[in-house]
Amino acid sequence: MLKLMLNEEDNQNIEENDDDEDDDSDAEEENLTVFGTAITTKEENPEAFANHNDDIKHLRKRLNIAVWGTVVPDPIVEFAQMKAAKSIKSVLLTNIESSEYKNPTAIQMQAIPAILQKRDVLGIAPTGSGKTAAFAIPMLLNLETPQQDHGIRSIVLAPTRELAVQIHGEFQRLSSGKKFHISLLSKASASTMASHAKTCTVNYDIVIATPLRLVHLISEQSIPLDKVEMICLDEADRLFEMGFVEQIDEVFAACTNPSLQRMMFSATMLQGVEEMAQSVLKDPVKVAIGVKNAGAITINQRLMFVGKEEGKLVAMKQLIQEGLKLPVLMFVQNKDRAKELYHELVYDGINVGAIHADRTKEQRDKVIKDFRTGAVWVLICTDLMSRGIDFKGVNMVINYDFPQSAVSYIHRIGRTGRNGRKGEAVTFFTESDMIYLRTIANVMKLSGCDVPDWMLAMKKASVRQRKQLLKAPPKRHRIETVSGYDLKKAHNHKLMKKHNAEKKKVAKHDEE
Ligand SMILES: Nc1ncnc2c1ncn2[C@@H]1O[C@H](COP(=O)(O)OP(=O)(O)OP(=O)(O)O)[C@@H](O)[C@H]1O
């Protein structure tokens, strides 16, 4: 049974969470084929071996790749170096080329060869650095060819339906031309599976799901996972949080194949969660890119003091006047505030959309589509959209409401500045948010941004305060331009109108 090991320090103290692990790799004599040249063994040619190891070390250092584990394979520098069966490799190379991926990103360089060696992998790399392809490409290569009689062969889990949809799209795109049986688990597809299961084995090469959907499939529809060869957790640290961890536990318990390969990826991984993740992995290769638990270096991060809540709309107007860098993603702390802000901005004539838990699946899909196509310029959302979602051209993220943790901040701002592109992140803070400012200032510093010294020297929020913030966001005043007095007047006016209408109705009735 996985135990929840998260403590308070884990949740907030990014600055105290520096790894003291040795970043020396254990790259040894196996698979020394980097740069496409076969290298002799240590015994055959000690000098060539030493030179090769130096090259690898330099490459990793230059690209900020840190590795841990026994006999970590060498990184690849070109997709063509991937070791896999010819037929599937050529399909993948064609699809990679049509995706316009010229070279593997740092996480792909190191994670792909490790997954191809069927190793368990823990991959930590900044937002927008290509982690999806880092597991999708080698998983497809490991599957080699579609199978009709092997039950469910591999699983990818993601914390939200939106992310699962996106991952499903990536798998389909990367495997195009090869008829893999890939399912995005939904209510409908689960019941199809269940009805198939009555007469035959349910066969899927890949199932992509949120944990709860998969747990239902196992427990209610009795679909076995005993044949699963690979399982990958995307946004793994989120999946180890309360609410998900019990489901993850059930899924792992159902995956009884002794040669199960496990993979976990995220942009953030705090110490306690990492320990929990490592306890599930067997002799893993751990790969970390860049500075752990920092924002992507391509994002220009800015904090903006707005005084009180009312100052936020004024600050918004100021940003609009300065010229918003569209498209913009705006984060608020809950669905009610998303609705309120939507109504404020829609009257300002901005092409605005909102996505939150109260909207139907169809509405959510539509607004995402509209944002992707440019019909919506400003998308208001909650943390539902903070992890994993890849909107290619987002130029600006605005944290209208202060994030509840450093981890949430990193993922939210990570919706911009993806894959080497530049992006901007503005975070509004009020007087009452000041107490949590230092945590965010530390993330900014770790990401290489200029931060005033006074922010870094601020008093830290107490453990109790941080615990409270994580449990529930602070109460904030309604988002409205109309003052309380005006609202009361409007309300009275509405009541009066209703009263008059009713009076008229009664009078008409009496006349009749
Ligand atoms: N090798 C590559 N070359 C160019 N672009 C790439 C490459 N690999 C992935 N990408 C693109 O980079 C973008 C970001 O990738 P992806 O969504 O996988 O990031 P991520 O690391 O999972 O981010 P997050 O932590 O936010 O989930 C995507 O648009 C993807 O198509």
Side-chain angles (χ1 to χ4, degrees), residues 101 103 108 128-132 235 388 390 392 415 418-419:
Y101 297 177
N103 295 306
Q108 292 163 3
S129 62
K131 292 186 288 296
T132 316
E235 308 295 342
D390 184 51
K392 286 189 177 53
R415 298 316 99 209
R418 297 176 72 71
N419 188 33

Side-chain angles (χ1 to χ4, degrees), residues 79 96 99-105 107-108 125-135 163 166 170 173 234-235 266-267 386-390 392 411 414-415 418-419:
F79 286 113
I96 288 170
S99 315
E100 295 180 5
Y101 297 177
K102 288 196 176 61
N103 295 306
T105 62
I107 184 69
Q108 292 163 3
T127 51
S129 62
K131 292 186 288 296
T132 316
F135 60 78
L163 185 52
Q166 183 180 292
E170 283 287 290
R173 197 172 52 79
D234 195 15
E235 308 295 342
S266 185
S386 68
R387 281 188 180 250
I389 301 297
D390 184 51
K392 286 189 177 53
H411 288 279
R415 298 316 99 209
R418 297 176 72 71
N419 188 33

